[in-house]
Amino acid sequence: MNKKFYAAGMCLYRSLVSTFFTLGGLQILKRKYKNDIAERTGQVDTKNIPEGSIWVHAVSVGEVQSASSLIRRIKSKSLLPCIISTVTPTGRDMAKKLLDGIVEKIIYSPFDSKKFVTRALDNIKPAIYISMETELWPEILSQLKARNIPAFLANGRLSEKSFKRMKRTKFFWSGVLENLTKLMVRFNDDKEKFMMLGVPEEKIVVTGDCKVDTLLDRRKITSPENWSWLKKNENSPLFVAGSTHQGEDDVVLSAFRLIRKKFPDARLAIVPRHPERALMTVAAALPYEDLHAELLSQIDRDNPTKDFNIVVVDRIGVLFELYAAADAVFVGGSLVNKGGQNPFEPALFGLPAIHGPSMSDFPDTERMNSMGAAICVHSDTELARAWEECLKPENVKLALKNCDEYFNTLGGAAKKTWREIETCMLDIKEGKA
């Protein structure tokens, strides 16, 4: 790392952030966040936050899921107080769902401005800071380093898009990453990317995916009966297209029309990655006379009399349970160039994660494919064919076996991650680091 280039980069970064807030950025953010603005500007109510807490930061839903297993591990092995911060309201809701009563407090992370970060750190006074997955904010990492507060990256990953962007300004990002005490990453592919950004190999440990541990725990308390009412009858199949992005609806609908030729009583649940797209997804089905789509919010669960064959989910937090009730699935963000969505969730229920070719955010998908826990498709006809294969009794048993064998190779990431952090803290205490 060239420290001069990094210092210059930080000066520029701080200048740009300061200019944004000086020129009215804060007023815009106040209108957007309203009730949350105090925490986002570092004015954290420290009630129930003991000095010396472990601060875990998880930007949104997926990262909170990853953090959940790690925090539960910390709590089971120590008496250390923990707080968790998020950026999105949906992330906060997920934190309440998974961690309420386990962490001392759930807060919003401060904007990455020198003033707001300073205020937040002065208020919270954490002993350790753990950032989940891809959350690498230059200001807070710089201030943590200056205060000698160990900062860790857990469940670290870099999408291809983020990696290419950071590589173009490697002189800056290598300095940002230097502020981390240690990086615990999911897979070797992630390790190689961070090394190419200048992180020494000895600072990186491959621990696996913490999200798997959380999902394994959630599977134990998830029943397929919660959403079996969506099926037209006991023997009719339910297909679930999860976390779909714009550009995938037409392909999924076309595949569903093909599969209905053999299974006319089939139903499809489409879960847009962004719930605000739900009405657009309903509209995409309008040109087809044989398709009738309804919003989930418009269906009476206790008396689903509407003659629908497609339900579009316009709320968050139900996809995992829908996978449990499904007979076959499609994982979105993969037929468009978005890097894919989580393939682990359906596979946990013995359903091959059928996906498109864009799965760069989940590099272990290739191994899932080779083990029969996932299937790659490229078109509506391939998707329909894969769905049909998933319904065959002999394939149902085989898929369950393949998925179980795949997950037997995973798990334990939270335990490994906390062990690495504990070891680092002990070395720091004894003056070895």
Side-chain angles (χ1 to χ4, degrees):
M1 178 191 73
N2 189 312
K3 292 185 178 181
K4 289 183 179 180
F5 283 134
Y6 167 62
M10 276 303 299
C11 284
L12 177 60
Y13 177 80
R14 285 171 171 155
S15 175
L16 291 172
V17 171
S18 176
T19 300
F20 169 77
F21 284 110
T22 301
L23 296 179
L26 184 58
Q27 297 306 313
I28 296 171
L29 293 171
K30 280 182 177 178
R31 287 195 294 271
K32 180 177 180 179
Y33 294 112
K34 297 179 182 176
N35 298 332
D36 315 325
I37 198 65
E39 285 185 352
R40 294 180 188 273
T41 56
Q43 301 173 69
V44 180
D45 180 1
T46 56
K47 183 181 179 181
N48 299 328
I49 304 180
E51 188 174 332
S53 295
I54 296 177
W55 180 353
V56 180
H57 175 58
V59 60
S60 194
V61 173
E63 292 80 5
V64 169
Q65 289 177 330
S66 299
S68 173
S69 60
L70 177 57
I71 289 172
R72 288 172 184 274
R73 182 71 188 180
I74 294 170
K75 285 295 190 177
S76 70
K77 294 298 178 182
S78 73
L79 298 175
L80 295 170
C82 293
I83 68 168
I84 184 169
S85 63
T86 70
V87 172
T88 68
T90 53
R92 187 185 183 96
D93 290 342
M94 182 60 74
K96 288 180 180 178
K97 182 176 181 179
L98 297 179
L99 294 166
D100 195 29
I102 296 173
V103 295
E104 274 63 29
K105 195 140 191 171
I106 300 169
I107 65 171
Y108 282 112
S109 181
F111 300 128
D112 202 46
S113 152
K114 186 174 182 179
K115 177 182 177 180
F116 302 145
V117 168
T118 298
R119 183 185 291 161
L121 288 174
D122 286 346
N123 285 336
I124 297 170
K125 298 181 177 65
I128 304 172
Y129 181 86
I130 304 172
S131 188
M132 303 301 301
E133 300 204 6
T134 58
E135 283 291 275
L136 298 165
W137 290 101
E139 183 62 55
I140 194 165
L141 291 179
S142 174
Q143 290 205 36
L144 288 164
K145 181 78 170 182
R147 293 170 183 240
N148 294 316
I149 299 172
F152 300 90
L153 183 68
N155 222 52
R157 67 181 181 92
L158 282 178
S159 68
E160 200 61 38
K161 182 179 179 181
S162 295
F163 172 65
K164 288 179 179 177
R165 173 177 56 81
M166 292 168 73
K167 195 175 179 182
R168 287 196 293 269
T169 51
K170 179 181 173 180
F171 68 90
F172 174 64
W173 285 106
S174 62
V176 173
L177 293 167
E178 177 68 21
N179 293 320
L180 290 165
T181 305
K182 199 153 199 174
L183 294 78
M184 282 71 69
V185 301
R186 302 173 311 163
F187 305 114
N188 283 320
D189 181 79
D190 301 301
K191 178 180 178 179
E192 291 170 4
K193 286 176 179 173
F194 280 111
M195 287 177 62
M196 283 189 271
L197 290 173
V199 180
E201 184 174 7
E202 61 269 19
K203 285 185 69 171
I204 309 173
V205 180
V206 177
T207 54
D209 197 331
C210 291
K211 199 172 292 180
V212 172
D213 293 343
T214 301
L215 295 175
L216 287 167
D217 289 339
R218 287 185 70 190
R219 182 179 66 175
K220 296 174 185 175
I221 58 172
T222 301
S223 169
E225 301 304 317
N226 291 347
W227 292 94
S228 58
W229 63 273
L230 280 177
K231 295 188 176 186
K232 192 166 187 178
N233 56 62
E234 187 178 338
N235 298 314
S236 62
L238 174 66
F239 301 99
V240 174
S243 297
T244 57
H245 288 251
Q246 188 170 354
E248 294 179 314
D249 294 340
D250 289 339
V251 178
V252 170
L253 292 173
S254 180
F256 183 59
R257 295 184 73 207
L258 291 171
I259 200 76
R260 288 189 70 244
K261 292 177 181 178
K262 294 188 177 181
F263 302 93
D265 286 341
R267 279 181 172 166
L268 168 67
I270 303 180
V271 186
R273 179 71 177 90
H274 304 288
E276 60 269 22
R277 285 192 52 251
L279 284 173
M280 293 174 58
T281 304
V282 170
L286 290 176
Y288 306 107
E289 293 182 0
D290 57 329
L291 299 182
H292 179 188
E294 289 282 353
L295 292 174
L296 177 63
S297 60
Q298 300 301 310
I299 301 172
D300 183 354
R301 173 175 179 158
D302 297 322
N303 187 29
T305 54
K306 291 187 176 182
D307 184 24
F308 63 93
N309 48 33
I310 298 172
V311 58
V312 180
V313 177
D314 52 350
R315 52 180 278 206
I316 65 166
V318 300
L319 179 56
F320 191 73
E321 291 184 350
L322 280 171
Y323 281 145
D327 295 287
V329 306
F330 167 72
V331 177
S334 58
L335 284 171
V336 291
N337 190 26
K338 296 292 183 179
Q341 299 299 146
N342 194 336
F344 300 145
E345 294 183 353
L348 277 168
F349 298 103
L351 301 173
I354 302 172
H355 60 87
S358 176
M359 290 295 290
S360 59
D361 285 357
F362 297 88
D364 210 45
T365 306
E366 290 186 18
R367 195 164 66 90
M368 292 182 73
N369 291 336
S370 67
M371 295 182 70
I375 300 169
C376 184
V377 298
H378 299 79
S379 66
D380 55 350
T381 53
E382 288 186 13
L383 176 55
R385 192 180 308 121
W387 275 348
E388 183 179 355
E389 288 296 313
C390 285
L391 299 181
K392 293 179 179 178
E394 64 272 20
N395 289 340
V396 171
K397 293 181 180 179
L398 180 60
L400 186 60
K401 174 178 174 290
N402 291 339
C403 290
D404 281 346
E405 288 180 352
Y406 172 73
F407 283 107
N408 284 339
T409 69
L410 300 176
K415 177 181 178 180
K416 295 172 187 173
T417 299
W418 179 236
R419 188 169 61 222
E420 289 294 334
I421 294 173
E422 276 190 310
T423 301
C424 278
M425 295 306 295
L426 184 61
D427 287 346
I428 291 170
K429 188 177 181 180
E430 295 180 352
K432 296 179 182 178

